Amino acid sequence: MKVYSIFSSGVFLVLLCLITVEGKKSPTGRHTCRKGLLSQVTENLYIKATSLKSSIPKDLIKNTRLLKKTTKVLFMTNCRVRDELLSFYMKNVFSHLGAGRDKLYIISAFQVLQTNMNACLPCAPSTRLTSAVKKLKKTFLKLGEKGIYKAIHELDILLPWIQAYIRTIL
């Protein structure tokens, strides 16, 4: 148990160091694109997502999906959809979980992903949600607390999308 705790703390410290380095801006005042960091953070997210999923109730809603195939196409081609989807997970899903290292790590990792994706391919800011994320959010809210569990279990869908997108910019 001590070894796991030490390892978890070590991984967490590495992420904090990466976030600190990530927070630095180029001389132009913008964040720099760090593609290698994107891949590394995504790989670590798989491990933390597995741990997080094992700590929550199973997703028993089989006839509803939050992350649809059409959303994947938009995720791969539309920077606003990517940005809104990552924000949705940070603000609407992970914020409802109890405190813990996995939650803190995942929120930090999603922030790193969002910042780096925007640095690699900047996106014009908008105050309106895209229709794809609006529909996802509506379904999520309709499911209530079960929507949180569904969204977390669908990380198995979202993380491969993120990895596929990262491969397109590498």
Side-chain angles (χ1 to χ4, degrees):
M1 186 56 131
K2 277 186 175 180
V3 172
Y4 176 75
S5 178
I6 292 169
F7 175 74
S8 295
S9 298
V11 170
F12 182 69
L13 288 174
V14 167
L15 178 67
L16 285 177
C17 291
L18 291 172
I19 291 170
T20 303
V21 168
E22 173 51 35
K24 295 185 179 177
K25 296 181 179 182
S26 70
T28 64
R30 295 179 171 229
H31 288 277
T32 56
C33 177
R34 303 204 34 203
K35 296 173 185 176
L37 179 63
L38 288 170
S39 296
Q40 185 179 5
V41 169
T42 306
E43 288 175 23
N44 289 337
L45 268 171
Y46 273 103
I47 297 164
K48 292 297 181 181
T50 301
S51 174
L52 183 60
K53 287 186 333 185
S54 69
S55 69
I56 63 167
K58 289 186 184 260
D59 173 24
L60 300 175
I61 304 169
K62 301 298 178 194
N63 58 348
T64 302
R65 275 186 61 177
L66 297 173
L67 300 173
K68 301 175 190 276
K69 291 178 183 176
T70 54
T71 309
K72 178 184 181 183
V73 173
L74 292 170
F75 182 88
M76 297 299 287
T77 58
N78 186 321
C79 63
R80 281 192 42 223
V81 171
R82 279 189 302 277
D83 193 55
E84 290 172 8
L85 198 51
L86 294 175
S87 292
F88 165 78
Y89 265 86
M90 287 185 292
K91 293 175 187 171
N92 297 98
V93 178
F94 303 135
S95 66
H96 293 290
L97 297 174
R101 274 195 301 235
D102 287 343
K103 174 190 171 184
L104 183 60
Y105 179 90
I106 288 176
I107 290 172
S108 299
F110 267 69
Q111 288 171 334
V112 168
L113 286 173
Q114 191 171 33
T115 301
N116 270 285
M117 285 180 179
N118 287 337
C120 292
L121 289 168
C123 189
S126 174
T127 56
R128 295 180 55 201
L129 283 178
T130 57
S131 61
V133 176
K134 204 180 287 185
K135 288 176 188 175
L136 177 142
K137 201 170 182 177
K138 184 179 176 183
T139 304
F140 172 80
L141 292 172
K142 201 182 294 184
L143 294 173
E145 188 174 301
K146 292 178 183 178
I148 297 166
Y149 306 141
K150 175 155 262 330
I152 291 170
H153 283 281
E154 287 192 8
L155 284 171
D156 287 344
I157 297 168
L158 181 60
L159 292 175
W161 293 3
I162 293 170
Q163 275 191 320
Y165 172 72
I166 291 168
R167 281 193 296 273
T168 67
I169 61 173
L170 291 178

